[in-house]
Each structure stands twice: as structure tokens, then as C-alpha cells.
Amino acid sequence: DMLDPERLIQCPLVKHHWIRARRFPYHLVKCKESNPEIAKKLATCPFNARHLVPQADLSDHIMKCNDKAFVEQDVVSRSFESPQEQLNNGSTWQAPPSAEDWETDLLEGSESTFVW
């Protein structure tokens, strides 16, 4: 099962490393640091950073990568939205108005002591 966080995944850097899926991203970071010579021979897939492949095989991997479909599907679904809909799908959070007025406080010569 691809969604099982307990399944074992083979490390692309050191083949005798088997890591649980839930720990795999952390392992990749540490293993790259521990094995820089191996890491610089590998390229990262633009669709899934967990996919490390030999640099010579990257274009072939990109053509066949299963995660490519998710990105393409998102791009296609967004292409049917109007630019206004795309803007509306973004964050609508706005900062609340501030009741502070530093200039007035400075002019009034507030002598209150700042307490942390």
C-alpha cells in the first residue's frame, strides 16, 4: 500500500538503507549530507523531491514519473478558471486595523515604563 506510513522504502543513495515511509524525507536530507559524493551524482525529480535518480536518467524519469499526472491535472483544472477565480481562491486574510498611534504617544510624552 503506497499510503502506508510504516512501509519500507529503499534509500536511493545507500542501497542497504531501508527506511519507513514516514521517516523517508528526513532520512534523505541526512543521507545526502553524509554521502555528498553519491548525492551530487543524483538529480531530484521536479514532481516529487523524494525521487532521486541518476542525472543521466532524469529526463526519462520525468517522462514516466507517476507524480507528474497530479501536477498536470492541477494545471489543467486551473486553466479552466478565470483569472478572477484564481485570485479568489487565494488567501483573503487581511490584517485588522491597529488602534496604536505611535506619533500621538510620542507627542504626548508618555512616561509609562515599558514592561516585558
Side-chain angles (χ1 to χ4, degrees), residues 59-76:
S59 59
D60 186 48
H61 173 83
I62 288 172
M63 296 299 291
K64 297 175 182 175
C65 182
N66 293 333
D67 293 324
K68 178 180 173 181
F70 295 118
V71 175
E72 288 175 340
Q73 181 180 8
D74 186 48
V75 169
V76 168

Side-chain angles (χ1 to χ4, degrees), residues 48-59:
N48 187 336
R50 296 177 185 186
H51 297 170
L52 297 178
V53 295
Q55 288 182 355
D57 298 341
L58 182 61
S59 59

